[in-house]
Amino acid sequence: MNLEIDFRSGIPIYLQVVERIKERIAGGSLPLGSQLPTVRSLALELRVNFNTIARAYRILDEVGIISTQQGRGTYVMEISPPEVSEKIRQKALVALTQRYLADANRLGASSEELSEIMKDKVTIWQQTGHLPDPEPDVE
Amino acid sequence: MNLEIDFRSGIPIYLQVVERIKERIAGGSLPLGSQLPTVRSLALELRVNFNTIARAYRILDEVGIISTQQGRGTYVMEISPPEVSEKIRQKALVALTQRYLADANRLGASSEELSEIMKDKVTIWQQTGHLPDPEPDVE
DNA sequence: AGTACAATGATACAATTATACAATGAGACA
DNA sequence: TGTCTCATTGTATAATTGTATCATTGTACT
């Protein structure tokens, strides 16, 4: 990986890591979809605690640049958010809806029952600006 | 099998698999007594380690919904209701809707745009009694 | 000095994977 | 029929990965 980190610059290590990785991705030396070093291995390389790397990764994850998955590793996102073009987006939306209706249909839902459920959720969505947390497991 | 699981959701994969399979059984697309995919084949399909699938199967087995037998395979229990009954079905439906809206939200869809798409599909659904074939995935 | 706060480290934990293992069943063959 | 072999199935356990929480360190400001 060989990131250039300056321990004396006064800039927090985790922020430096964030920047270096952003640069690597932008420059193409970290291909989309490729796996980043594990938090522990990169930490070892930089002689730093692995939580510091985890912090950097978490920031990049929240921005949507990488995807961190517990037990699996962290990967460069295939398509960073701005690149998702409008046409692709719409197609995805239609496909998503299609799958949703098919699944609901398999569960024996009528369109009336569906719109009833949908109404509740959308109301909350519009009023609060975000969706409610997923409900607990179906025991 | 074609289960929809989200690696980024933060919800453990094995729990997602549990839910998706519960829904399939509740919806009848996994008939009672039928064999589920082997842990290895489903793992291959989802690009996941087969122990993750085994964990999901073990949970479903402990609840009594499926029966896993070493060397033979795993099967949907002949009598899984009352576990999988009307209440479960409704819960599954709500959960499904929730996930759908969350996904759509991530795609930047407004509720207006959504209901527009939905309207088209549902109209066809009601007029023809079945849904049009799903469009190809946009990966 | 003392306090507050951000950065970093230590530790325990949860999810996933890797590897080796045991049970089952199908086919070959005596 | 018996049993051998082998591929296929699920199981068990340890290693690997990221996560959560709290402790420690350092720095700026009173």
Side-chain angles (χ1 to χ4, degrees):
Chain A
M1 195 63 177
N2 215 2
L3 295 190
E4 304 291 342
I5 300 296
D6 184 351
F7 290 94
R8 281 180 274 187
S9 66
I11 301 171
I13 299 172
Y14 72 95
L15 287 181
Q16 293 189 50
V17 172
V18 165
E19 289 311 311
R20 292 301 88 72
I21 291 184
K22 273 187 186 172
E23 292 165 10
R24 292 295 176 93
I25 295 175
S29 70
L30 275 178
L32 303 187
S34 66
Q35 180 171 16
L36 291 160
T38 69
V39 290
R40 283 175 177 80
S41 68
L42 183 51
L44 193 65
E45 180 182 327
L46 299 183
R47 320 251 183 183
V48 155
N49 187 275
F50 66 81
N51 283 294
T52 302
I53 306 300
R55 186 168 179 181
Y57 280 7
R58 180 152 38 84
I59 290 174
L60 289 165
D61 182 87
E62 282 164 359
V63 181
I65 295 182
I66 68 177
S67 161
T68 79
Q69 300 158 26
Q70 183 169 355
R72 290 171 59 81
T74 81
Y75 300 82
V76 181
M77 275 296 208
E78 293 288 352
I79 39 171
S80 33
E83 275 81 303
V84 185
S85 76
E86 178 58 15
K87 187 169 292 183
I88 302 261
R89 193 190 70 92
Q90 287 184 5
K91 274 198 162 186
L93 212 46
V94 171
L96 186 66
T97 304
Q98 193 94 29
R99 282 201 303 273
Y100 165 67
L101 289 176
D103 286 345
N105 190 33
R106 272 193 300 92
L107 280 170
S110 66
S111 56
E112 291 78 14
E113 184 181 11
L114 232 50
S115 52
E116 184 64 29
I117 296 174
M118 189 75 70
K119 205 175 54 185
D120 289 349
K121 300 298 178 187
V122 170
T123 302
I124 298 176
W125 184 12
Q126 288 176 325
Q127 286 176 348
T128 67
H130 61 77
L131 288 158
D133 289 329
E135 311 204 351
D137 265 10
V138 181
E139 306 298 341
Chain B
M1 193 63 174
N2 215 1
L3 296 190
E4 302 289 342
I5 71 170
D6 184 353
F7 290 96
R8 303 189 50 212
S9 65
I11 300 171
I13 299 171
Y14 72 95
L15 286 182
Q16 293 188 50
V17 172
V18 165
E19 289 310 310
R20 294 300 88 72
I21 290 183
K22 274 187 185 172
E23 292 167 9
R24 291 296 175 95
I25 296 176
S29 71
L30 276 178
L32 304 186
S34 66
Q35 181 172 16
L36 291 160
T38 69
V39 290
R40 282 175 177 79
S41 67
L42 183 52
L44 192 65
E45 180 182 326
L46 299 183
R47 320 246 188 181
V48 152
N49 188 275
F50 65 81
N51 281 295
T52 303
I53 306 299
R55 185 168 180 182
Y57 280 8
R58 180 152 37 83
I59 289 175
L60 289 165
D61 183 87
E62 283 165 359
V63 181
I65 294 182
I66 68 178
S67 160
T68 80
Q69 301 156 30
Q70 184 169 353
R72 293 179 42 76
T74 80
Y75 299 83
V76 181
M77 277 295 209
E78 290 292 351
I79 38 162
S80 53
E83 293 298 329
V84 185
S85 58
E86 179 56 17
K87 188 169 293 184
I88 300 286
R89 191 193 70 91
Q90 289 183 7
K91 277 195 168 186
L93 209 48
V94 171
L96 184 67
T97 304
Q98 191 95 27
R99 282 202 310 280
Y100 165 66
L101 289 177
D103 287 346
N105 190 34
R106 265 211 319 250
L107 280 171
S110 67
S111 56
E112 292 78 15
E113 184 181 12
L114 234 51
S115 51
E116 185 63 29
I117 296 174
M118 188 76 68
K119 204 174 56 187
D120 290 348
K121 299 298 179 187
V122 170
T123 302
I124 299 175
W125 184 11
Q126 287 176 325
Q127 286 176 349
T128 66
H130 61 79
L131 288 157
D133 289 330
E135 312 200 354
D137 262 11
V138 182
E139 291 299 336

